[in-house]
């Protein structure tokens, strides 16, 4: 393939909001218990949290972590998770049919997240609960003192308010699986009234209304239109969620899924702007893509656990072991998010540890290790900060079983003005043919190729494990710059990070 790209600092998409490199930890499976928290582990700190896991999270440089769910939040009583440990109840988690012991609650989690370098994006329960409980939780977290719930926090040993800035108004309330699932009219009204009340308590917070759980859910995009018809003036973001899987065993088509994600984002933007026009509003609603990943490997095992082995503490659930092609799709999804940097201001790789996660720990306190998808996320988080530039790209196209006009190469670049560096992220998603990419870097005179890092593997199904890393990045010399023209070889099925500076 011959591919051409032009990058020019005069053609920005937008400043990348670093919060697009957010992630998510739900009280689900072994994410919290036996994941980030394991008092018996050799690396545990005085609060019982694993330092080795925290180190891996730091490698990913995650600015914000969504918590405590997910589906879990829709039957969660936050009060159960605070106060003296020996008084905390054991509760049935209806979402995952697990037993929640509340050994880690919102105070411990917030303290831990900050120590990992992350802010918390807190979700309120709009499934089984409503406005009053959301307000009480916000008062507990953010109000300085001298009121019932802020004093309760202080009595629990947290004198300073947590000052949590970003709040999700429920989770996937459009999904029939959600505890307390709502119609769009019901949710729109509830989101509006909850948002209005919460902003009275703390006008500095930012609110995320639930959008659709996936592109093909029948209520999309009416859900967004109706929700925003009610809540437009009080919310700042609409959420998007999307997971992909190669259930058909058609890898070429699987790698085209990021085109659907692109289409989904475009349609949500159009819907937001339609409501903006109806309201004669001056405000833009931004996107919080707060759940995205590959998720399918563990589905059958999870169904078995919820159906036949319920009410376990920290069961092995959603433990997808990712392969190389999954890492390619994660790279393509990151490129898609960056291409919409003007509108997608937050995003959460779902999730972070053990549950559909880049970081795994062996069961019962064993080794922590990096999945294949760890690497594209790490690269984007590390080098994708600055200004996203318009990707003027011409690539050959092909059709797959489920998609038309799929580009062989997808790429985007990010210019970091402070560091005087520009990084191109590129995936050659053609499984058969290498590509020769010519990049016109006209506005980056005097720059040199700092490195060209590649993630590739002959086996699309190659996986990593605690003691073997088959999929890991390597340095190559596949890029050369001559004047302002760079030529790069992008091997078939490869994730490429080309840094100039
Ligand atoms: O991330 C796993 C689950 O996926 C979340 O709990 C839910 O919000 C989504 O359906």
């Amino acid at each position: 393939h011959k591919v051409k790209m032009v990058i020019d600092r005069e053609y920005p998409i937008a400043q990348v909001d670093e919060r697009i490199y957010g992630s998510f930890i739900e009280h689900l499976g072994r994410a919290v218990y036996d994941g980030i928290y394991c008092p018996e582990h050799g690396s545990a700190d005085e609060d019982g949290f694993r330092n080795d896991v925290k180190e891996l999270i730091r490698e990913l440089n995650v600015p914000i972590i969504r918590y405590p769910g997910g589906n879990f939040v829709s039957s969660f009583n936050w009060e159960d998770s605070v106060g003296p440990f020996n008084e905390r109840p054991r509760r049935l988690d209806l979402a995952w049919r697990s037993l929640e012991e509340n050994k880690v609650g919102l105070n411990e989690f917030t303290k831990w997240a900050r120590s990992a370098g992350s802010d918390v994006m807190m979700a309120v329960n709009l499934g089984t609960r409503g406005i009053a409980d959301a307000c009480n939780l916000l008062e507990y977290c953010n109000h300085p003192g001298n009121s019932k719930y802020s004093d309760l926090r202080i009595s629990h040993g947290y004198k300073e308010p947590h000052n949590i800035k970003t709040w999700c108004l429920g989770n996937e309330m459009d999904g029939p699986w959600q505890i307390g699932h709502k119609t769009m009219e019901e949710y729109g009204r509830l989101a509006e009234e909850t948002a209005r009340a919460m902003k009275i308590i703390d006008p500095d917070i930012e609110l995320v209304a639930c959008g659709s759980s996936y592109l093909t859910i029948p209520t999309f995009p009416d859900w967004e239109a109706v929700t925003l018809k009610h809540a437009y003036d009080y919310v700042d973001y609409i959420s998007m969620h999307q997971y992909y899987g190669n259930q058909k065993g058609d890898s070429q088509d699987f790698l085209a899924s990021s085109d659907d994600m692109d289409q989904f984002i475009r349609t949500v933007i159009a819907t937001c702007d339609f409501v903006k026009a109806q309201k004669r509003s001056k405000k833009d609603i931004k996107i919080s893509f707060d759940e995205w990943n590959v998720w399918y490997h563990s589905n059958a095992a999870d169904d078995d656990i919820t159906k036949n082995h319920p009410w376990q503490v920290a069961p092995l659930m959603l433990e997808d072991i990712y392969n190389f092609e999954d890492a390619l799709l994660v790279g393509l999804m990151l490129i898609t998010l960056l291409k919409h940097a003007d509108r997608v201001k937050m995003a959460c790789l779902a999730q972070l540890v053990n549950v559909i996660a880049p970081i795994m720990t062996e069961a019962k306190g064993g080794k922590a290790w990096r999945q294949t998808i760890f690497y594209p996320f790490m690269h984007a988080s590390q080098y994708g900060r600055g200004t996203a530039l318009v990707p003027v790209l011409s690539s050959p196209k092909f059709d797959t079983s489920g998609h038309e006009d799929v580009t062989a190469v997808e790429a985007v670049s990010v210019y970091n003005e402070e560091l005087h560096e520009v990084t191109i992220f590129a995936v050659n998603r053609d499984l058969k043919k290498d590509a020769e990419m010519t990049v016109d870097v006209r506005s980056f005179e005097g720059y040199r190729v700092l490195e060209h890092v590649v993630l590739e593997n002959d086996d699309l199904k190659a996986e990593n494990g605690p003691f073997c890393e088959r999929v890991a990045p390597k340095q190559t010399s596949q890029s050369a710059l001559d004047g302002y023209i760079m030529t790069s070889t992008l091997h078939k099925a490869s994730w490429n990070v080309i840094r100039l500076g």
Side-chain angles (χ1 to χ4, degrees):
H1 290 307
K2 295 266 178 254
V3 175
K4 273 194 190 154
M5 187 178 187
V6 181
I7 57 173
D8 192 321
R9 64 175 105 192
E10 299 299 326
Y11 298 106
I13 301 172
Q15 184 74 18
V16 176
D17 191 318
E18 61 166 22
R19 294 173 304 167
I20 68 165
Y21 304 117
S23 188
F24 175 28
I25 290 184
E26 176 165 4
H27 279 255
L28 195 189
R30 298 191 306 121
V32 175
Y33 308 109
D34 206 24
I36 59 170
Y37 175 83
C38 184
E40 304 79 37
H41 193 266
S43 81
D45 63 18
E46 78 250 23
D47 296 322
F49 289 93
R50 287 178 62 156
N51 272 319
D52 59 341
V53 172
K54 208 188 278 178
E55 273 315 308
L56 290 177
I57 294 171
R58 285 213 189 91
E59 278 181 39
L60 294 178
N61 197 358
V62 180
I64 192 161
I65 302 179
R66 187 162 173 258
Y67 177 84
N71 295 338
F72 172 81
V73 81
S74 294
S75 69
F76 175 55
N77 287 359
W78 66 268
E79 301 89 331
D80 297 338
S81 83
V82 297
F85 290 101
N86 55 7
E87 289 171 21
R88 295 187 191 176
R90 309 174 92 199
R91 298 295 306 257
L92 301 184
D93 156 23
L94 306 189
W96 304 104
R97 300 191 85 209
S98 303
L99 195 64
E100 173 56 55
E101 297 188 302
N102 287 302
K103 288 186 181 163
V104 173
L106 71 91
N107 289 316
E108 297 83 34
F109 183 82
T110 304
K111 182 177 171 200
W112 170 84
R114 298 255 155 90
S115 75
S118 311
D119 281 329
V120 175
M121 177 195 287
M122 187 72 84
V124 302
N125 174 356
L126 292 188
T128 58
R129 308 186 95 187
I131 306 172
D133 304 298
C135 288
N136 296 346
L137 172 59
L138 177 60
E139 180 184 322
Y140 182 92
C141 290
N142 284 16
H143 199 67
N146 209 19
S147 69
K148 173 170 170 172
Y149 287 103
S150 57
D151 288 344
L152 185 63
R153 181 198 69 241
I154 295 168
S155 78
H156 292 157
Y158 294 82
K159 185 162 182 305
E160 295 307 317
H162 294 313
N163 282 328
I164 294 172
K165 191 159 180 197
T166 312
W167 293 78
C168 301
L169 297 165
N171 175 72
E172 294 189 346
M173 297 312 304
D174 62 328
W177 59 88
Q178 200 69 211
I179 306 292
H181 164 227
K182 308 267 183 290
T183 66
M184 49 189 99
E185 285 290 347
E186 287 167 347
Y187 178 70
R189 287 285 300 125
L190 182 58
E192 175 186 14
E193 294 305 327
T194 309
R196 204 158 61 80
M198 287 176 77
K199 283 204 170 166
I200 292 172
I201 297 174
D202 185 350
D204 293 333
I205 56 172
E206 294 192 315
L207 293 172
V208 185
C210 290
S212 294
S213 296
Y214 52 93
L215 173 65
T216 52
I217 195 165
T219 43
F220 174 75
D222 306 73
W223 177 275
E224 281 75 0
V226 171
T227 295
L228 290 175
K229 177 182 86 181
H230 292 293
Y232 200 95
D233 292 339
Y234 303 105
V235 303
D236 306 282
Y237 303 85
I238 189 98
S239 76
M240 296 181 67
H241 290 182
Q242 185 70 57
Y243 297 96
Y244 294 113
N246 187 5
Q247 286 92 345
K248 289 188 297 185
D250 180 341
S251 301
Q252 195 63 82
D253 191 52
F254 171 63
L255 294 178
S257 310
S258 57
D259 291 14
D260 301 334
M261 183 190 195
D262 185 75
Q263 182 57 34
F264 191 10
I265 295 173
R266 285 174 195 281
T267 316
V268 170
I269 293 171
T271 309
C272 292
D273 291 351
F274 168 72
V275 182
K276 178 185 180 185
Q278 281 184 323
K279 299 220 169 254
R280 314 291 191 255
S281 175
K282 290 204 160 49
K283 174 173 105 176
D284 283 329
I285 297 290
K286 291 158 286 179
I287 291 170
S288 171
F289 211 125
D290 46 43
E291 286 188 36
W292 67 271
N293 202 348
V294 173
W295 174 17
Y296 75 106
H297 298 283
S298 62
N299 291 354
D302 298 335
D303 289 347
D304 179 52
I305 290 178
T306 48
K307 213 166 149 212
N308 303 318
H309 311 281
W311 316 124
Q312 297 181 61
V313 174
L316 273 75
M317 285 183 72
L318 280 71
E319 300 212 4
D320 276 40
I321 300 301
Y322 291 114
N323 57 32
F324 172 60
E325 68 182 13
D326 298 332
L328 287 179
L329 186 65
V330 163
L332 285 159
M333 292 175 90
L334 284 160
I335 290 172
T336 308
L337 291 171
L338 282 167
K339 281 164 65 173
H340 290 287
D342 54 336
R343 216 52 192 268
V344 178
K345 296 295 176 184
M346 292 192 285
C348 303
L349 175 68
Q351 299 190 11
L352 187 54
V353 180
N354 285 339
V355 167
I356 43 173
I359 299 168
M360 297 298 289
T361 65
E362 286 182 286
K364 307 232 180 298
K367 198 167 178 271
W369 54 280
R370 299 171 188 82
Q371 294 240 46
T372 61
I373 63 166
F374 184 96
Y375 290 108
F377 188 86
M378 179 190 80
H379 289 144
S381 178
Q382 195 168 359
Y383 301 120
R385 296 177 190 229
T387 307
L389 303 178
V390 177
V392 185
L393 188 74
S394 66
S395 162
K397 293 179 178 169
F398 49 77
D399 294 345
T400 63
S401 60
H403 297 83
E404 283 174 13
D405 284 335
V406 178
T407 47
V409 169
E410 272 297 307
V412 71
S413 64
V414 178
Y415 170 44
N416 189 322
E417 202 162 352
E418 269 166 46
L419 298 177
H420 304 286
E421 281 181 21
V422 61
T423 301
I424 300 169
F425 302 102
V427 173
N428 180 357
R429 56 179 158 179
D430 191 317
L431 299 179
K432 298 210 180 82
K433 279 194 203 156
D434 292 352
E436 281 303 313
M437 182 166 77
T438 313
V439 191
D440 178 336
V441 297
R442 51 184 68 172
S443 65
F444 296 101
E445 223 186 298
Y447 277 48
R448 290 158 191 225
V449 178
L450 299 175
E451 60 177 356
H452 180 159
V453 177
V454 173
L455 199 65
E456 60 185 345
N457 201 294
D458 291 338
D459 180 3
L460 290 173
K461 308 295 180 189
E463 297 169 351
N464 291 347
F467 301 102
C468 101
E469 195 162 75
R470 291 180 66 198
V471 181
K474 60 174 190 206
Q475 297 278 342
T476 71
S477 46
Q478 289 166 212
S479 283
L481 190 59
D482 183 7
Y484 60 89
I485 298 293
M486 181 173 74
T487 40
S488 300
T489 305
L490 309 177
H491 288 158
K492 63 184 181 189
S494 65
W495 159 256
N496 300 264
V497 182
I498 307 164
R499 294 176 54 227
L500 309 177

